[in-house]
């Protein structure tokens, strides 16, 4: 997430990088789900500072992407990573920088770009009579909308 009016050249360059084939390979290698085959990355060689605001659960992959970007580009762009809860990250992005969250953020004026997805596995005890959970059922369970198996 980022504010179109505040994003720096360094921020745009980093976004282009994380959507590139180089970054998508890092995402896949680290057991996240790549969202595309990516494109070839050509840097604009930005300088200055860039702050990445990461939710705790997105820090691992964002840190790897930032390090790979710096090793590849090394243009004088200083990247700082700050961790927080997803909502606080989105709020911080309104002041510049880029927010990486693992939670769905309600309506926002920020621009959203999907760079990867993480999957979850749901394991149900064999004695559970429900053998056909849907994605919607899982969302209802984890959001607290449904809390009893008989509701599913």
């Amino acid at each position: 997430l980022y504010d179109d009016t505040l994003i720096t050249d360094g921020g745009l360059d980093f976004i282009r990088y994380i959507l590139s084939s180089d970054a998508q390979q890092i995402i896949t290698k680290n057991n996240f789900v790549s969202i595309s085959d990516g494109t070839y990355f050509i840097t604009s060689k930005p300088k200055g500072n860039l702050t990445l605001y990461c939710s705790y659960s997105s820090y691992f992959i964002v840190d790897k992407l930032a390090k790979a970007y710096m090793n590849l580009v090394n243009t004088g762009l200083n990247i700082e990573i700050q961790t927080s809860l997803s909502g606080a990250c989105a709020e911080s992005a309104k002041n510049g920088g880029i927010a990486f969250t693992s939670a769905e953020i309600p309506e926002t004026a920020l621009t959203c770009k999907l760079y990867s997805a993480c999957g979850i596995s749901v394991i149900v005890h064999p004695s559970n009579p429900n053998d056909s959970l849907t994605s919607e059922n899982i969302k209802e369970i984890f959001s607290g909308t449904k809390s009893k198996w008989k509701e599913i």
Side-chain angles (χ1 to χ4, degrees):
L1 301 169
Y2 61 93
D3 185 323
D4 283 324
T5 64
L6 298 175
I7 192 76
T8 63
D9 290 341
L12 290 172
D13 200 60
F14 187 71
I15 290 167
R16 281 192 303 273
Y17 171 71
I18 62 176
L19 297 172
S20 74
S21 55
D22 291 334
Q24 293 296 307
Q25 287 176 8
I26 292 168
I27 288 166
T28 302
K29 180 181 174 189
N30 286 280
N31 298 318
F32 286 79
V33 179
S34 174
I35 54 131
S36 73
D37 293 334
T39 58
Y40 184 74
F41 173 70
I42 299 174
T43 182
S44 62
K45 300 183 180 176
K47 299 197 181 313
N49 297 309
L50 173 62
T51 304
L52 306 177
Y53 303 99
C54 299
S55 64
Y56 296 110
S57 58
S58 67
Y59 174 80
F60 171 80
I61 193 64
V62 172
D63 182 57
K64 289 198 176 286
L65 291 168
K67 286 177 180 170
Y69 172 80
M70 294 306 294
N71 286 335
L72 180 69
V73 175
N74 196 16
T75 64
L77 181 67
N78 178 45
I79 295 180
E80 176 187 1
I81 300 176
Q82 295 182 10
T83 55
S84 188
L85 299 173
S86 292
C89 292
E91 207 48 47
S92 295
K94 292 178 182 177
N95 300 318
I98 305 171
F100 294 87
T101 68
S102 55
E104 188 175 337
I105 302 297
E107 297 212 14
T108 179
L110 299 171
T111 298
C112 180
K113 298 266 186 200
L114 183 64
Y115 71 98
S116 76
C118 56
I120 62 168
S121 296
V122 177
I123 301 170
V124 179
H125 193 276
S127 67
N128 188 314
N130 191 329
D131 61 357
S132 59
L133 290 175
T134 65
S135 296
E136 186 60 32
N137 295 145
I138 302 300
K139 186 175 182 178
E140 291 169 336
I141 292 167
F142 281 96
S143 70
T145 307
K146 305 274 174 92
S147 61
K148 297 186 178 11
W149 286 113
K150 64 182 176 186
E151 297 173 341
I152 305 287

